[in-house]
Amino acid sequence: MLYSAEVEHMCPVAKGAYHGPAPVPEEGKWVQVKENSDISGLTHGVGWCAPQQGGCKLTLNVKNGIIEEALIETVGCSGMTHSAAMSAEILPGKTLLEALNTDLVCDAINVAMRELFLQIVYGRSQTAFSEGGLPIGAGLEDLGKGLRSQVGTMYGTKAKGARYLEMAEGYVTRLALDKDGLIIGYEFVHMGKAMSAIKKGVDANKAIKDATGSYGRFAEAAKYIDPRVE
């Protein structure tokens, strides 16, 4: 260790009380985090790139400092999907500190990693007060049946009004309008359920029909429109 001449000539003063790190909540325990291996928890981070063309939601399940599970969800930029594919290979097996200092290809994913790191090292994880945390695979369960991200895609213009394109329930096929032209409901296809049925050998038309549902006062509509065409 190198010391400057000024420090070398100083006399030592004894250190008083021990000022350790504040304990943070982690999976039902209070932990003084000093090493990577002290960190456990499942939580999420949201990031964006410099031009803010796309965004990323990153979910990590960390056990004893090691990333055991990663879920990368992206929206708004086609290139981000390929970056997410690489990140899904890069992240598992790394420590949180390694992941923070690894190029995850896309800035939105890197920013999400930074935000998630801040939450988890400060004890703000989703599993802070869950004894033992969540098992590996819990991140995947966030996607629900069909294992598809919950995406909302809406479009609107002053001249023609709003169009619902994709809801949490699925791909919107028709909008229901009342006599005044107001949206009162919509019809959707749950693509995850439809694809699961098709993979099991169900006829595609039947699978789509079985996975079709509606929301709101859909049956009472005065008019139905295709939001992507009409």
Side-chain angles (χ1 to χ4, degrees):
M1 187 73 69
L2 295 176
Y3 296 96
S4 68
E6 291 82 0
V7 173
E8 284 281 9
H9 288 93
M10 289 178 180
C11 65
V13 175
K15 186 175 181 178
Y18 170 67
H19 300 284
V24 297
E26 284 189 6
E27 301 197 339
K29 304 187 298 287
W30 289 92
V31 180
Q32 283 190 315
V33 179
K34 301 175 185 177
E35 307 286 344
N36 262 307
S37 57
D38 295 329
I39 300 171
S40 294
L42 180 144
T43 198
H44 318 280
V46 175
W48 54 95
C49 59
Q52 299 194 30
Q53 183 180 348
C56 169
K57 178 197 168 194
L58 176 64
T59 301
L60 297 183
N61 198 347
V62 181
K63 300 291 185 186
N64 301 317
I66 304 296
I67 296 169
E68 298 286 351
E69 176 186 19
L71 171 65
I72 305 101
E73 300 173 86
T74 64
V75 64
C77 172
S78 58
M80 289 176 66
T81 60
H82 297 77
S83 301
M86 287 181 271
S87 296
E89 294 186 11
I90 292 168
L91 287 167
K94 281 189 168 12
T95 67
L96 268 183
L97 194 59
E98 285 177 316
L100 185 68
N101 287 283
T102 298
D103 182 9
L104 300 175
V105 190
C106 167
D107 274 348
I109 305 175
N110 286 319
V111 171
M113 181 65 226
R114 180 194 72 195
E115 297 300 309
L116 185 151
F117 177 87
L118 291 174
Q119 290 186 63
I120 205 165
V121 298
Y122 288 141
R124 303 315 197 261
S125 68
Q126 181 179 316
T127 54
F129 299 102
S130 301
E131 188 173 359
L134 292 173
I136 311 306
L140 200 61
E141 290 175 359
D142 274 359
L143 297 179
K145 291 182 179 179
L147 301 183
R148 280 174 57 87
S149 296
Q150 295 189 59
V151 177
T153 308
M154 314 300 156
Y155 178 74
T157 59
K158 181 180 176 183
K160 301 295 183 178
R163 299 292 187 276
Y164 302 170
L165 304 176
E166 185 103 16
M167 288 285 194
E169 298 93 341
Y171 180 97
V172 178
T173 53
R174 288 190 294 168
L175 291 184
L177 308 181
D178 67 9
K179 59 182 177 59
D180 297 318
L182 297 172
I183 299 172
I184 58 172
Y186 54 88
E187 180 186 67
F188 60 86
V189 176
H190 194 301
M191 295 305 297
K193 291 180 180 178
M195 290 306 301
S196 294
I198 290 170
K199 285 190 291 184
K200 291 176 182 176
V202 177
D203 176 75
N205 289 324
K206 184 179 187 310
I208 293 292
K209 183 178 179 181
D210 292 344
T212 297
S214 62
Y215 184 83
R217 294 184 288 123
F218 186 78
E220 302 173 20
K223 181 181 181 182
Y224 298 99
I225 65 169
D226 180 338
R228 290 171 174 78
V229 178
E230 298 173 79

